[in-house]
């Protein structure tokens, strides 16, 4: 039986094996979190858009339809981008903002148990914001651009 062992502190360890493990971990994270958001939240809102638009919460005061549109954009379309590794860092930003709105505005006065799901979603999105996607992702993405080279907002 072959043992698969990597000594993470050995400078002579095979860097390619380390990178493959990191890439695999990021791949699992990307596909996992994107699938949970896409199929657990985004798809249902997109399919039932017209029914939900009437009574959808408007936490930012932009109107129910606009709030739902922004939510569908984040939950459905940004999740697809993350799933395929397409502009992963940029796609994570609307999802982070949406989760912050859920924690601090939608569930601002609620107990922790109501905020916990949004807080749990934020962790992988922030991880993807900093790490970008893996090398297995779509090559036309921003995840391989160091954060120092990403365009800054003026």
């Amino acid at each position: 039986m072959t043992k698969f062992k990597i000594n993470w502190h050995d400078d002579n360890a095979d860097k390619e094996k380390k990178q493959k493990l990191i890439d695999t971990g990021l791949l699992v994270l990307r596909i996992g979190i994107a699938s949970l958001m896409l199929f657990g939240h985004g798809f249902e809102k997109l399919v039932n858009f017209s029914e939900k638009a009437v009574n959808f919460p408007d936490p930012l005061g932009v109107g129910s339809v606009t709030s739902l549109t922004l939510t569908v954009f984040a939950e459905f379309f940004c999740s697809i981008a993350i799933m395929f590794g397409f502009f992963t860092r940029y796609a994570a930003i609307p999802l982070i903002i949406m989760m912050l709105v859920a924690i601090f505005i939608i569930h601002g006065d609620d107990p922790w148990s109501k905020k916990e799901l949004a807080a749990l979603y934020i962790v992988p999105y922030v991880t993807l914001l900093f790490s970008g996607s893996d090398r297995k992702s779509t090559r036309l993405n921003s995840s391989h651009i160091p954060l120092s080279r990403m365009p800054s907002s003026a």
Side-chain angles (χ1 to χ4, degrees):
M1 182 180 284
T2 305
K3 291 185 179 180
F4 184 70
K5 182 179 177 185
I6 291 182
N7 184 351
W8 290 97
H9 303 293
D10 183 4
D11 290 337
N12 296 324
D14 187 3
K15 291 182 181 181
E16 187 63 29
K17 284 184 182 177
K18 286 182 187 179
Q19 189 60 50
K20 283 182 181 179
L21 286 174
I22 291 168
D23 286 341
T24 302
L26 288 171
L27 175 70
V28 169
L29 179 69
R30 267 191 318 102
I31 292 174
I33 197 64
S35 297
L36 289 170
M37 181 59 74
L38 179 68
F39 298 115
H41 302 278
F43 183 74
E44 189 264 334
K45 286 182 180 84
L46 179 65
V47 171
N48 299 310
F49 189 90
S50 57
E51 296 88 30
K52 290 194 169 289
V54 179
N55 296 322
F56 197 76
D58 181 22
L60 303 176
V62 295
S64 291
V65 174
T66 304
S67 292
L68 180 58
T69 302
L70 293 170
T71 301
V72 167
F73 171 75
E75 290 181 356
F76 187 80
F77 294 103
C78 290
S79 290
I80 289 174
I82 287 174
M83 186 178 286
F84 288 103
F86 189 71
F87 292 106
T88 302
R89 286 185 167 143
Y90 293 118
I93 293 170
L95 289 155
I96 291 168
I97 292 169
M98 190 182 67
M99 292 299 109
L100 289 171
V101 168
I103 292 168
F104 295 110
I105 299 175
I106 300 289
H107 298 294
D109 295 329
D110 293 340
W112 172 250
S113 61
K114 292 283 189 181
K115 300 175 186 185
E116 186 175 15
L117 182 61
L120 288 171
Y121 269 111
I122 241 177
V123 173
Y125 294 139
V126 170
T127 301
L128 290 170
L129 176 67
F130 287 116
S131 70
S133 61
D134 52 275
R135 293 184 299 175
K136 293 170 178 52
S137 66
T138 306
R139 276 295 172 221
L140 299 172
N141 71 52
S142 65
S143 68
H144 303 289
I145 302 171
L147 283 177
S148 61
R149 291 189 182 172
M150 288 182 72
S152 59
S153 56

